[in-house]
Amino acid sequence: MTQNKLTDSPAFKRILPFAVYIGFLFVFDLLKPLIPEGVLFDNFTAITYPVKILAVMGILIYYWKSYDELRFDQLKAVHVLGALATGVVVFVLWINMDWDFATLGSSEAYDPRILPGKTYYAFLAVRLAGTALVVPLFEEIFWRSFILRYIINQDFTAVKIGAFTWMSFIISSLLFGSEHYLWLAGIMAGVFYNLLLYWSRSIYVCIIAHSVTNLLLGIYVIRTGNWQFW
């Protein structure tokens, strides 16, 4: 059987989950203005978010065995502690860096409290699981495993996890920031996660830190009602 060189490439398997997630955001932005006012329009985010997360989860599961950079035997207690601390620091800085000049465009904050009782709690559970488990996984595979190494060498699998160059460090941090509405906070997070990778040489450690940040941010948003952070 002839193999498809594109879909079988290590780069494709690391780009696809991220590309699908961003693609869903783009398509949903195009569709939303076409939806008439009403229940569907008001709850568009609640309806589409699970679809997006499930699609990305399916891709990650399908290619899971190809992500050889995800190795539990690389985890060390000191690195896990460092990841927990990094996640907390990034969260604290993130919620204090929402300055007007440090934003890209405008953020349409969706307040899920308009959902009826059980639906509201179900959405919060899905959103927390997505932001704390799925998003850190595919973003760290894309940014810290693929992009950071690809900038060093297009044959990125030949580059060791955690290899440092100033160019890859700066460019990847800036690009990571450009992905976020709070671009300056995004750059800050990219810098911290990159530094954590250089120290630990482990993608899993970066995933843990990213998960802690997103989980704390989700809890903070729910408790304070600052939905613009979501």
Side-chain angles (χ1 to χ4, degrees):
M1 183 180 294
T2 303
Q3 291 184 327
N4 188 315
K5 291 184 179 180
L6 174 62
T7 58
D8 288 335
S9 71
F12 180 85
K13 296 172 183 178
R14 287 157 180 79
I15 294 171
L16 186 62
F18 180 83
V20 167
Y21 186 88
I22 298 299
F24 268 112
L25 291 177
F26 180 72
V27 171
F28 291 159
D29 283 343
L30 290 177
L31 289 178
K32 193 169 183 179
L34 304 177
I35 299 174
E37 296 285 345
V39 175
L40 178 59
F41 180 85
D42 291 341
N43 299 298
F44 189 72
T45 299
I47 295 168
T48 56
Y49 187 81
V51 175
K52 176 174 58 181
I53 288 298
L54 286 173
V56 174
M57 282 180 59
I59 296 169
L60 289 171
I61 292 170
Y62 183 78
Y63 286 126
W64 186 255
K65 292 183 179 180
S66 299
Y67 303 133
D68 53 6
E69 63 270 42
L70 301 181
R71 295 173 51 192
F72 279 111
D73 61 352
Q74 295 175 333
L75 286 176
K76 297 180 180 179
V78 65
H79 292 154
V80 173
L81 291 175
L84 297 175
T86 300
V88 173
V89 169
V90 173
F91 158 70
V92 172
L93 292 175
W94 190 283
I95 62 175
N96 288 285
M97 295 178 68
D98 58 336
W99 307 304
D100 290 340
F101 78 89
T103 61
L104 286 173
S106 59
S107 176
E108 293 185 10
Y110 172 67
D111 187 344
R113 288 175 295 189
I114 64 175
L115 296 169
K118 292 182 179 179
T119 306
Y120 167 70
Y121 291 109
F123 172 75
L124 290 186
V126 172
R127 186 65 190 262
L128 273 178
T131 194
L133 299 176
V134 181
V135 172
L137 182 58
F138 78 76
E139 282 202 336
E140 292 307 313
I141 288 174
F142 178 76
W143 290 109
R144 246 60 63 183
S145 176
F146 172 63
I147 291 295
L148 202 62
R149 292 191 288 169
Y150 186 82
I151 294 171
I152 297 173
N153 186 344
Q154 291 187 5
D155 181 16
F156 74 98
T157 57
V159 181
K160 291 184 178 180
I161 293 292
F164 173 83
T165 68
W166 279 110
M167 180 177 291
S168 61
F169 172 62
I170 293 171
I171 292 177
S172 64
S173 297
L174 293 175
L175 289 176
F176 189 75
S178 70
E179 178 201 357
H180 297 85
Y181 164 66
L182 298 175
W183 63 266
L184 188 58
I187 292 174
M188 173 275 300
V191 167
F192 270 94
Y193 297 151
N194 281 348
L195 292 175
L196 185 64
L197 179 67
Y198 298 141
W199 174 57
S200 67
R201 309 289 180 179
S202 170
I203 298 296
Y204 261 131
V205 171
C206 295
I207 292 172
I208 292 171
H210 201 152
S211 295
V212 169
T213 299
N214 286 9
L215 177 61
L216 292 176
L217 185 60
I219 294 171
Y220 171 80
V221 167
I222 293 170
R223 290 182 61 87
T224 64
N226 289 313
W227 305 105
Q228 72 276 8
F229 285 113
W230 256 8

